[in-house]
Amino acid sequence: MNQAATDTVLSGMRPTGQLHLGHLHGVLNNWVKLQEQYRCLFFVADWHALTTHYDDTSNIAQHSREMILDWLAAGVDPEKATLFIQSHVPEHAELHLLLSMMTPLSWLERIPSYKDQQQKLSNKDLSTYGFLGYPLLQSADILVYRAAWVPVGEDQVSHVELTREVARRFNYLYGREADFETKAQANAKKMGKKAAKRYQQLRKTYQETGDTEALAAGHELLQAQSNINQEERERLTGYLEGTGKTLLVEPQPLLAPASKMPGLDGQKMSKSYGNTISLRDDPKDIEQKLRTMPTDPARVRLTDAGNPERCPVFQLHEVYSDEDTKQWIQKGCTEAGIGCLECKKPLIDSVLAELTPMQERFLHYAKDTAALDKIILDGQAQAREMAGETLKIVRESLGLA
Ligand code: TRP
Ligand code: SF4
């Protein structure tokens, strides 16, 4: 695999127990797509779980392992993506510590999730050092792999924004090597006469006129060069932009196509509402949950006309059913031509058809503990290798090498 750093995607999930259809449609299906196009790293954020659950750690290890099983079941492929557990890669902690030295407290205190979560989880004492540092640990997770893209939900965008600010501050403080210009000039020569000349022209245009098209063309030119290594490319990027050397790479959030997976009661599907279908639910229970889920409250008898707009079942059909089926329901419901159980039947079939192959994969990996162990160990090795390279750059630029 020889892809540029711009192609790295990283995301993490806290080990909260069984994943449900909301995770599948909101996150995992997207990961399965991303793994085809990018160098993907997906990890279980078990240290992040400790920030709120430090008082009971009994389930963390088991939940972490099972979460990877759920990912595999959903189709995340260990041949394509690197899967690992955060606490197996101590480089995250080292980078977090070093970043904590130069991160202003106010940057962490003003992050919306800090006060929100403290209020929401008011039964817990979250005035801890670790909880305040939650988003900075997340920044370390991202920066340690030089990830370009971070698939996250809306609620996490401020954490990626913090990550960008931290990277900029770090590069500003430590990115000015003594012989930066000399080195950049030598690196430019390595690209060959023609490319070097064009690079110098684009740099001059951008720095003299602020022409962003010249900047974009410069980035493109650097991406296309095969004679320079990653470190040289990053130095040349810094030289092009007129900043210092890029020690840490600023990531971008990658907002997943919005999925508002409705739960069994019409609210958003969430464990705390008790309205979920888990990926591992027994097919009999899934059928039972769907058969008993509420419908349009106005439809008491079969002869009462209903309104799909007021029915949580129809919200699920919006996710699972094609146009023909939806029209059949629209007509049948409003004219009292079909019964609610009849309406639920194609939904039950679709959910079971979606989950059956996943449950087979889950059982396969759950039985083969050696195979799962190997996936987690291989993931750790791959992650540590990448993270180690960044830590080397970081230690050197701080004079700790
Ligand atoms: N904070 C994320 C969440 O609660 C989990 C997470 C931890 C994460 N580190 C990350 C997500 C790095 C993306 C990148 O969902
Ligand atoms: Fe809901 Fe379908 Fe019953 Fe209409 S027929 S109320 S859409 S379950």
Side-chain angles (χ1 to χ4, degrees), residues 22-61:
H23 299 109
L24 180 64
H25 288 262
V27 181
L28 294 175
N29 284 345
N30 191 38
W31 286 10
V32 169
K33 260 193 236 137
L34 290 170
Q35 71 185 356
E36 301 295 335
Q37 299 164 31
Y38 296 92
R39 171 92 179 80
C40 285
L41 297 143
F42 301 125
F43 72 98
V44 181
D46 55 348
W47 279 335
H48 276 104
L50 285 179
T51 63
T52 49
H53 290 70
Y54 55 84
D55 55 348
D56 179 11
T57 62
S58 52
N59 287 324
I60 289 188

Short mmCIF file of all heavy atoms in Angstrom, two decimals, residues 22-61:
data_model
loop_
_atom_site.label_atom_id
_atom_site.label_comp_id
_atom_site.label_asym_id
_atom_site.label_seq_id
_atom_site.Cartn_x
_atom_site.Cartn_y
_atom_site.Cartn_z
N GLY A 22 -28.61 1.82 14.61
CA GLY A 22 -28.22 3.22 14.49
C GLY A 22 -26.74 3.34 14.17
O GLY A 22 -26.33 4.13 13.30
N HIS A 23 -25.91 2.54 14.84
CA HIS A 23 -24.47 2.55 14.54
C HIS A 23 -24.20 2.01 13.13
O HIS A 23 -23.33 2.51 12.42
CB HIS A 23 -23.70 1.66 15.53
CG HIS A 23 -23.81 2.10 16.97
ND1 HIS A 23 -24.53 1.40 17.90
CD2 HIS A 23 -23.27 3.15 17.63
CE1 HIS A 23 -24.44 2.00 19.08
NE2 HIS A 23 -23.68 3.08 18.94
N LEU A 24 -24.97 0.99 12.77
CA LEU A 24 -24.75 0.38 11.45
C LEU A 24 -25.01 1.39 10.34
O LEU A 24 -24.18 1.60 9.46
CB LEU A 24 -25.66 -0.85 11.29
CG LEU A 24 -25.54 -1.59 9.96
CD1 LEU A 24 -24.15 -2.19 9.79
CD2 LEU A 24 -26.60 -2.69 9.85
N HIS A 25 -26.18 2.04 10.42
CA HIS A 25 -26.55 2.97 9.34
C HIS A 25 -25.85 4.31 9.47
O HIS A 25 -25.63 4.99 8.48
CB HIS A 25 -28.07 3.13 9.28
CG HIS A 25 -28.75 1.91 8.75
ND1 HIS A 25 -29.15 1.78 7.45
CD2 HIS A 25 -29.04 0.73 9.34
CE1 HIS A 25 -29.67 0.58 7.26
NE2 HIS A 25 -29.62 -0.08 8.40
N GLY A 26 -25.50 4.70 10.71
CA GLY A 26 -24.87 6.00 10.89
C GLY A 26 -23.37 5.97 10.69
O GLY A 26 -22.79 6.95 10.24
N VAL A 27 -22.72 4.86 11.05
CA VAL A 27 -21.26 4.86 11.07
C VAL A 27 -20.67 3.69 10.27
O VAL A 27 -19.86 3.90 9.36
CB VAL A 27 -20.75 4.76 12.53
CG1 VAL A 27 -19.23 4.78 12.57
CG2 VAL A 27 -21.32 5.89 13.38
N LEU A 28 -21.07 2.48 10.63
CA LEU A 28 -20.34 1.31 10.10
C LEU A 28 -20.47 1.14 8.59
O LEU A 28 -19.48 0.83 7.92
CB LEU A 28 -20.79 0.04 10.83
CG LEU A 28 -20.42 0.03 12.32
CD1 LEU A 28 -21.01 -1.19 13.02
CD2 LEU A 28 -18.91 0.04 12.50
N ASN A 29 -21.66 1.34 8.05
CA ASN A 29 -21.80 1.23 6.59
C ASN A 29 -20.88 2.22 5.88
O ASN A 29 -20.33 1.93 4.82
CB ASN A 29 -23.25 1.47 6.15
CG ASN A 29 -24.14 0.27 6.45
OD1 ASN A 29 -23.65 -0.82 6.73
ND2 ASN A 29 -25.44 0.48 6.41
N ASN A 30 -20.71 3.38 6.50
CA ASN A 30 -19.82 4.39 5.93
C ASN A 30 -18.35 3.92 6.00
O ASN A 30 -17.60 4.07 5.04
CB ASN A 30 -20.01 5.70 6.68
CG ASN A 30 -19.34 6.87 6.01
OD1 ASN A 30 -19.33 6.97 4.78
ND2 ASN A 30 -18.74 7.76 6.80
N TRP A 31 -17.96 3.34 7.12
CA TRP A 31 -16.59 2.81 7.24
C TRP A 31 -16.33 1.75 6.16
O TRP A 31 -15.26 1.71 5.55
CB TRP A 31 -16.38 2.17 8.61
CG TRP A 31 -16.25 3.14 9.75
CD1 TRP A 31 -16.47 4.50 9.73
CD2 TRP A 31 -15.85 2.83 11.10
NE1 TRP A 31 -16.25 5.04 10.97
CE2 TRP A 31 -15.88 4.03 11.83
CE3 TRP A 31 -15.51 1.65 11.76
CZ2 TRP A 31 -15.54 4.10 13.18
CZ3 TRP A 31 -15.18 1.71 13.10
CH2 TRP A 31 -15.20 2.91 13.81
N VAL A 32 -17.34 0.89 5.95
CA VAL A 32 -17.17 -0.20 4.97
C VAL A 32 -16.92 0.39 3.58
O VAL A 32 -16.13 -0.13 2.80
CB VAL A 32 -18.41 -1.13 5.00
CG1 VAL A 32 -18.41 -2.10 3.83
CG2 VAL A 32 -18.46 -1.89 6.32
N LYS A 33 -17.57 1.51 3.30
CA LYS A 33 -17.33 2.18 2.01
C LYS A 33 -15.94 2.82 1.99
O LYS A 33 -15.20 2.70 1.02
CB LYS A 33 -18.38 3.27 1.78
CG LYS A 33 -19.48 2.83 0.86
CD LYS A 33 -20.29 4.05 0.42
CE LYS A 33 -21.75 3.82 0.78
NZ LYS A 33 -22.40 4.99 1.38
N LEU A 34 -15.62 3.51 3.08
CA LEU A 34 -14.34 4.24 3.12
C LEU A 34 -13.15 3.32 2.97
O LEU A 34 -12.13 3.69 2.39
CB LEU A 34 -14.23 5.04 4.43
CG LEU A 34 -15.17 6.24 4.55
CD1 LEU A 34 -15.15 6.79 5.98
CD2 LEU A 34 -14.76 7.34 3.59
N GLN A 35 -13.24 2.11 3.52
CA GLN A 35 -12.09 1.21 3.49
C GLN A 35 -11.70 0.83 2.05
O GLN A 35 -10.58 0.38 1.80
CB GLN A 35 -12.35 -0.05 4.33
CG GLN A 35 -13.36 -1.00 3.72
CD GLN A 35 -13.71 -2.19 4.61
OE1 GLN A 35 -13.13 -2.34 5.68
NE2 GLN A 35 -14.63 -3.02 4.17
N GLU A 36 -12.63 1.02 1.10
CA GLU A 36 -12.32 0.73 -0.30
C GLU A 36 -11.50 1.85 -0.93
O GLU A 36 -10.82 1.63 -1.92
CB GLU A 36 -13.61 0.56 -1.12
CG GLU A 36 -14.54 -0.53 -0.62
CD GLU A 36 -13.92 -1.92 -0.75
OE1 GLU A 36 -13.03 -2.10 -1.61
OE2 GLU A 36 -14.34 -2.82 0.02
N GLN A 37 -11.60 3.04 -0.38
CA GLN A 37 -10.99 4.20 -1.05
C GLN A 37 -9.79 4.79 -0.34
O GLN A 37 -9.04 5.54 -0.94
CB GLN A 37 -12.02 5.33 -1.17
CG GLN A 37 -13.25 4.98 -1.96
CD GLN A 37 -14.35 5.99 -1.69
OE1 GLN A 37 -14.08 7.15 -1.41
NE2 GLN A 37 -15.59 5.55 -1.75
N TYR A 38 -9.68 4.52 0.96
CA TYR A 38 -8.64 5.20 1.74
C TYR A 38 -7.83 4.20 2.54
O TYR A 38 -8.23 3.06 2.73
CB TYR A 38 -9.27 6.19 2.73
CG TYR A 38 -10.03 7.33 2.11
CD1 TYR A 38 -11.39 7.22 1.87
CD2 TYR A 38 -9.38 8.51 1.78
CE1 TYR A 38 -12.10 8.27 1.31
CE2 TYR A 38 -10.08 9.57 1.23
CZ TYR A 38 -11.44 9.45 1.00
OH TYR A 38 -12.12 10.50 0.45
N ARG A 39 -6.72 4.67 3.06
CA ARG A 39 -5.96 3.94 4.06
C ARG A 39 -6.69 4.17 5.38
O ARG A 39 -6.61 5.27 5.94
CB ARG A 39 -4.55 4.53 4.10
CG ARG A 39 -3.65 4.06 5.19
CD ARG A 39 -2.85 2.86 4.70
NE ARG A 39 -1.93 2.37 5.74
CZ ARG A 39 -2.32 1.61 6.75
NH1 ARG A 39 -3.57 1.27 6.89
NH2 ARG A 39 -1.43 1.19 7.63
N CYS A 40 -7.42 3.19 5.86
CA CYS A 40 -8.29 3.41 7.03
C CYS A 40 -7.74 2.80 8.30
O CYS A 40 -7.21 1.68 8.29
CB CYS A 40 -9.67 2.81 6.78
SG CYS A 40 -10.68 3.78 5.66
N LEU A 41 -7.85 3.54 9.38
CA LEU A 41 -7.54 3.04 10.72
C LEU A 41 -8.78 3.23 11.58
O LEU A 41 -9.29 4.35 11.68
CB LEU A 41 -6.39 3.86 11.32
CG LEU A 41 -5.04 3.80 10.62
CD1 LEU A 41 -4.36 5.16 10.66
CD2 LEU A 41 -4.15 2.76 11.25
N PHE A 42 -9.26 2.15 12.19
CA PHE A 42 -10.41 2.24 13.08
C PHE A 42 -10.03 1.64 14.42
O PHE A 42 -9.45 0.55 14.47
CB PHE A 42 -11.61 1.50 12.49
CG PHE A 42 -12.05 2.01 11.14
CD1 PHE A 42 -12.14 1.14 10.06
CD2 PHE A 42 -12.36 3.35 10.95
CE1 PHE A 42 -12.54 1.61 8.81
CE2 PHE A 42 -12.75 3.82 9.71
CZ PHE A 42 -12.84 2.95 8.63
N PHE A 43 -10.31 2.38 15.49
CA PHE A 43 -9.87 1.86 16.79
C PHE A 43 -10.94 2.00 17.87
O PHE A 43 -11.83 2.83 17.78
CB PHE A 43 -8.57 2.56 17.22
CG PHE A 43 -8.78 3.99 17.63
CD1 PHE A 43 -8.89 4.31 18.98
CD2 PHE A 43 -8.87 5.00 16.70
CE1 PHE A 43 -9.10 5.63 19.38
CE2 PHE A 43 -9.08 6.32 17.10
CZ PHE A 43 -9.19 6.63 18.44
N VAL A 44 -10.79 1.16 18.89
CA VAL A 44 -11.66 1.21 20.05
C VAL A 44 -11.04 2.18 21.06
O VAL A 44 -9.91 1.97 21.52
CB VAL A 44 -11.80 -0.18 20.70
CG1 VAL A 44 -12.73 -0.11 21.90
CG2 VAL A 44 -12.29 -1.21 19.69
N ALA A 45 -11.78 3.23 21.40
CA ALA A 45 -11.24 4.27 22.27
C ALA A 45 -11.47 3.89 23.74
O ALA A 45 -12.31 4.47 24.42
CB ALA A 45 -11.88 5.61 21.93
N ASP A 46 -10.71 2.90 24.21
CA ASP A 46 -10.96 2.43 25.58
C ASP A 46 -10.47 3.43 26.63
O ASP A 46 -11.07 3.56 27.69
CB ASP A 46 -10.39 1.01 25.82
CG ASP A 46 -8.92 0.86 25.51
OD1 ASP A 46 -8.32 1.77 24.90
OD2 ASP A 46 -8.35 -0.19 25.89
N TRP A 47 -9.42 4.18 26.32
CA TRP A 47 -9.00 5.22 27.27
C TRP A 47 -10.08 6.31 27.38
O TRP A 47 -10.31 6.86 28.45
CB TRP A 47 -7.67 5.85 26.85
CG TRP A 47 -6.45 5.05 27.24
CD1 TRP A 47 -6.36 4.15 28.27
CD2 TRP A 47 -5.18 5.08 26.62
NE1 TRP A 47 -5.09 3.63 28.32
CE2 TRP A 47 -4.35 4.19 27.33
CE3 TRP A 47 -4.64 5.79 25.54
CZ2 TRP A 47 -3.00 3.97 26.98
CZ3 TRP A 47 -3.31 5.57 25.20
CH2 TRP A 47 -2.51 4.67 25.92
N HIS A 48 -10.71 6.61 26.25
CA HIS A 48 -11.79 7.60 26.30
C HIS A 48 -12.94 7.12 27.18
O HIS A 48 -13.59 7.92 27.85
CB HIS A 48 -12.27 7.96 24.90
CG HIS A 48 -11.43 9.01 24.22
ND1 HIS A 48 -10.52 8.72 23.25
CD2 HIS A 48 -11.36 10.34 24.43
CE1 HIS A 48 -9.92 9.84 22.87
NE2 HIS A 48 -10.42 10.84 23.56
N ALA A 49 -13.19 5.82 27.16
CA ALA A 49 -14.26 5.29 28.02
C ALA A 49 -13.93 5.54 29.49
O ALA A 49 -14.82 5.81 30.30
CB ALA A 49 -14.45 3.80 27.76
N LEU A 50 -12.65 5.47 29.82
CA LEU A 50 -12.25 5.70 31.22
C LEU A 50 -12.53 7.13 31.69
O LEU A 50 -12.72 7.35 32.88
CB LEU A 50 -10.75 5.45 31.39
CG LEU A 50 -10.27 4.00 31.39
CD1 LEU A 50 -8.76 3.96 31.55
CD2 LEU A 50 -10.95 3.23 32.51
N THR A 51 -12.56 8.08 30.77
CA THR A 51 -12.76 9.46 31.20
C THR A 51 -14.12 9.64 31.89
O THR A 51 -14.28 10.49 32.74
CB THR A 51 -12.64 10.48 30.04
OG1 THR A 51 -13.68 10.21 29.09
CG2 THR A 51 -11.29 10.42 29.37
N THR A 52 -15.10 8.82 31.48
CA THR A 52 -16.41 8.91 32.14
C THR A 52 -16.72 7.69 33.01
O THR A 52 -17.60 7.75 33.85
CB THR A 52 -17.55 9.06 31.09
OG1 THR A 52 -17.37 8.04 30.11
CG2 THR A 52 -17.52 10.41 30.43
N HIS A 53 -16.03 6.58 32.80
CA HIS A 53 -16.35 5.35 33.54
C HIS A 53 -15.17 4.85 34.37
O HIS A 53 -14.98 3.65 34.53
CB HIS A 53 -16.81 4.25 32.58
CG HIS A 53 -18.16 4.52 31.99
ND1 HIS A 53 -18.38 5.53 31.06
CD2 HIS A 53 -19.37 3.96 32.22
CE1 HIS A 53 -19.66 5.55 30.74
NE2 HIS A 53 -20.28 4.62 31.43
N TYR A 54 -14.40 5.80 34.89
CA TYR A 54 -13.22 5.40 35.67
C TYR A 54 -13.60 4.64 36.94
O TYR A 54 -12.80 3.93 37.52
CB TYR A 54 -12.39 6.64 36.05
CG TYR A 54 -13.18 7.71 36.78
CD1 TYR A 54 -13.37 7.63 38.16
CD2 TYR A 54 -13.74 8.79 36.09
CE1 TYR A 54 -14.12 8.60 38.82
CE2 TYR A 54 -14.49 9.75 36.75
CZ TYR A 54 -14.67 9.65 38.12
OH TYR A 54 -15.42 10.58 38.77
N ASP A 55 -14.86 4.79 37.37
CA ASP A 55 -15.25 4.14 38.63
C ASP A 55 -15.66 2.68 38.44
O ASP A 55 -15.79 1.95 39.42
CB ASP A 55 -16.39 4.92 39.29
CG ASP A 55 -17.58 5.10 38.36
OD1 ASP A 55 -17.43 4.81 37.14
OD2 ASP A 55 -18.65 5.50 38.83
N ASP A 56 -15.90 2.26 37.21
CA ASP A 56 -16.19 0.85 36.99
C ASP A 56 -15.56 0.41 35.67
O ASP A 56 -16.08 0.69 34.59
CB ASP A 56 -17.70 0.61 36.94
CG ASP A 56 -18.02 -0.87 36.67
OD1 ASP A 56 -17.08 -1.70 36.74
OD2 ASP A 56 -19.19 -1.17 36.40
N THR A 57 -14.46 -0.28 35.77
CA THR A 57 -13.71 -0.64 34.56
C THR A 57 -13.88 -2.12 34.23
O THR A 57 -13.19 -2.63 33.35
CB THR A 57 -12.22 -0.34 34.77
OG1 THR A 57 -11.75 -1.16 35.85
CG2 THR A 57 -11.98 1.12 35.12
N SER A 58 -14.81 -2.77 34.89
CA SER A 58 -14.88 -4.24 34.77
C SER A 58 -15.23 -4.71 33.36
O SER A 58 -14.83 -5.80 32.96
CB SER A 58 -15.90 -4.79 35.76
OG SER A 58 -17.13 -4.10 35.63
N ASN A 59 -15.96 -3.89 32.59
CA ASN A 59 -16.39 -4.39 31.27
C ASN A 59 -15.54 -3.91 30.11
O ASN A 59 -15.77 -4.32 28.98
CB ASN A 59 -17.83 -3.91 31.01
CG ASN A 59 -18.81 -4.67 31.85
OD1 ASN A 59 -18.61 -5.87 32.09
ND2 ASN A 59 -19.84 -3.99 32.33
N ILE A 60 -14.60 -3.01 30.38
CA ILE A 60 -13.95 -2.34 29.26
C ILE A 60 -13.24 -3.30 28.30
O ILE A 60 -13.42 -3.23 27.09
CB ILE A 60 -12.98 -1.25 29.76
CG1 ILE A 60 -13.82 -0.09 30.33
CG2 ILE A 60 -12.11 -0.72 28.64
CD1 ILE A 60 -13.02 1.13 30.68
N ALA A 61 -12.49 -4.24 28.86
CA ALA A 61 -11.72 -5.13 27.99
C ALA A 61 -12.65 -6.00 27.15
O ALA A 61 -12.46 -6.15 25.94
CB ALA A 61 -10.78 -6.00 28.82
#
